[in-house]
Amino acid sequence: FVKPVRANELVAALDGLTHQQEYEPYRVLIVDDEPDMAHYHAILLQQAGLITCEVHDPTRILEALHQFRPDIVLMDMYMPECGGREAAAIIRQVPDHVGLPIVYLTSETDRRKLFSAMRIGAEGFLTKPVVPDELVAAVMIRAERMRTLRGLMARDSLTGLFNHTMTTQLLENALSLARRDSGVLSLVMIDIDGFKAVNDTWGHPAGDQVLMALSRVLQQRLRASDIIGRYGGEEFAVILQNADPQQAARLIDALREDFARVDFYSGEHGFHCTFSAGVAAYPMYQRYELLREAADKALYRAKRGGRNRVVV
Ligand code: GH3
Ligand code: MG
Ligand code: MG
Ligand code: MG
């Protein structure tokens, strides 16, 4: 005997699984040529706290994916312009969407047809008319997994900071926000000094300790709205929203002093490390490439000037 789970209980249970305190509701793209059907499913999901977007013309799916950025797609199988299978196949061809869960919502009962449709790119199917709790559960469980995966894919495994791809994306987003609000934004490129020598002298594991320590120092001192990424091997990028270059330089200089005081050990040998940093800001540099280049040049000047310093 299994107690039936109510949609709202299920939502509460799944809520408990999410690590973030204020997680963003899952986003569901509903593709169905019948607007009433799409809307009915949308309402069921909205009642469970999910955000939905309805598409009735399957030729607009890619556009909707780009704009709405769903965590899962619910796909009707039979639509006049383009069948659900073809639509799923198209979605799977876009590298960004290879891992995106697709679930068919269909009245098709021929299991052979269903299984062959799934091979093309769907995770599973639900039969219309749906049982509301089943729809919510199927969507939430897959969306949750998608979020976890996305989180892992966005992070560097050694430090837990955003990886290069994610940092670049977040910087682009932060730039468009700054543009919209006519705000300021500073980009700081940080590079550990003489890191090759650290590895050569104290060993690779000691080098890894240094990378982790720097990431801790950055995370402790910066605000939640600041974006910290591991840009490359021993190079880090910090994006400070609402900070002009002078404010950014002061803040990073304090971090520089903190980091220089950290004691490292390799066996019984103690050592210290420093970093150099270059700062550049929007709106002086308007485009991502120019901002990045300016911060790199400032970093280069910091290195040439003797290292262990912050240059604007
Ligand atoms: P500079 O002061 O001019 O920045 O000199 P540097 O030695 O820090 O610069 P260089 O670019 O020559 O050396 C970077 C080193 O970082 C080389 C590479 O082996 C090391 N490195 C990159 N990623 C990792 C990592 O994940 N762990 C460890 N331990 N070392 C890494
Ligand atoms: Mg249909
Ligand atoms: Mg370097
Ligand atoms: Mg270096």
Side-chain angles (χ1 to χ4, degrees):
F1 173 75
V2 180
K3 184 173 162 263
V5 182
R6 297 187 152 276
N8 51 358
E9 283 172 9
L10 183 75
V11 172
L14 288 168
D15 261 359
L17 287 176
T18 55
H19 306 298
Q20 294 138 292
Q21 285 193 321
E22 35 184 290
Y23 87 104
E24 257 191 80
Y26 301 130
R27 305 166 73 81
V28 190
L29 182 71
I30 302 171
V31 184
D32 199 313
D33 61 314
E34 289 168 65
D36 288 349
M37 190 60 88
H39 200 60
Y40 168 65
H41 294 136
I43 297 287
L44 290 178
L45 294 167
Q46 285 167 20
Q47 283 168 349
L50 300 160
I51 296 178
T52 61
C53 169
E54 297 160 46
V55 171
H56 309 131
D57 173 2
T59 60
R60 313 199 67 149
I61 289 177
L62 289 182
E63 186 189 329
L65 286 176
H66 183 69
Q67 282 170 5
F68 181 66
R69 305 218 146 265
D71 298 298
I72 177 168
V73 177
L74 286 181
M75 181 81 79
D76 182 22
M77 253 173 73
Y78 298 109
M79 297 175 286
E81 298 90 345
C82 156
R85 278 168 291 203
E86 289 74 30
I90 291 169
I91 294 176
R92 289 290 178 238
Q93 279 168 18
V94 183
D96 273 359
H97 308 317
V98 212
L100 185 65
I102 302 174
V103 174
Y104 293 123
L105 267 189
T106 182
S107 43
E108 175 62 66
T109 50
D110 182 338
R111 297 177 81 77
R112 279 212 328 260
K113 276 191 193 157
L114 281 167
F115 292 139
S116 86
M118 272 168 60
R119 273 189 56 203
I120 295 175
E123 308 270 313
F125 60 86
L126 292 167
T127 311
K128 287 181 198 170
V130 290
V131 179
D133 285 1
E134 263 174 38
L135 174 71
V136 172
V139 166
M140 297 268 306
I141 288 161
R142 289 173 172 87
E144 168 99 31
R145 196 185 310 134
M146 185 63 202
R147 281 284 173 90
T148 308
L149 265 180
R150 280 215 175 112
L152 288 173
M153 286 191 308
R155 303 257 170 201
D156 160 56
S157 57
L158 180 71
T159 60
L161 298 177
F162 292 120
N163 60 23
H164 181 93
T165 310
M166 196 60 193
T167 309
T168 315
Q169 254 176 41
L170 290 171
L171 177 54
E172 297 267 21
N173 293 354
L175 268 177
S176 23
L177 279 184
R179 233 169 255 134
R180 194 196 65 189
D181 305 338
S182 34
V184 291
L185 173 161
S186 287
L187 169 66
V188 186
M189 297 302 304
I190 296 175
D191 185 290
I192 299 174
D193 297 325
F195 193 58
K196 194 177 174 314
V198 170
N199 276 326
D200 292 349
T201 314
W202 309 112
H204 211 265
D208 286 355
Q209 291 299 321
V210 172
L211 294 170
M212 288 191 269
L214 176 53
S215 100
R216 265 198 308 278
V217 167
L218 296 174
Q219 281 169 309
Q220 273 162 14
R221 275 273 206 148
L222 296 172
R223 289 170 303 187
S225 62
D226 300 330
I227 297 157
I228 314 166
R230 186 175 175 198
Y231 211 79
E234 30 91 68
E235 197 168 74
F236 296 73
V238 176
I239 300 156
L240 300 161
Q241 321 214 46
N242 308 314
D244 68 31
Q246 280 68 39
Q247 290 168 322
R250 267 201 302 280
L251 180 62
I252 299 298
D253 205 52
L255 289 170
R256 182 189 59 76
E257 290 183 347
D258 283 355
F259 180 64
R261 276 195 294 268
V262 177
D263 296 314
F264 294 105
Y265 295 94
S266 172
E268 54 232 43
H269 300 284
F271 65 97
H272 290 96
C273 262
T274 59
F275 69 69
S276 301
V279 184
Y282 175 91
M284 183 163 359
Y285 298 96
Q286 300 263 329
R287 282 207 345 265
Y288 165 77
E289 293 79 15
L290 299 176
L291 188 61
R292 167 77 218 269
E293 194 182 300
D296 269 345
K297 281 191 176 147
L299 172 59
Y300 179 70
R301 288 199 300 279
K303 292 281 185 189
R304 230 184 21 192
R307 295 180 169 77
N308 191 19
R309 67 198 61 206
V310 182
V311 168
V312 180

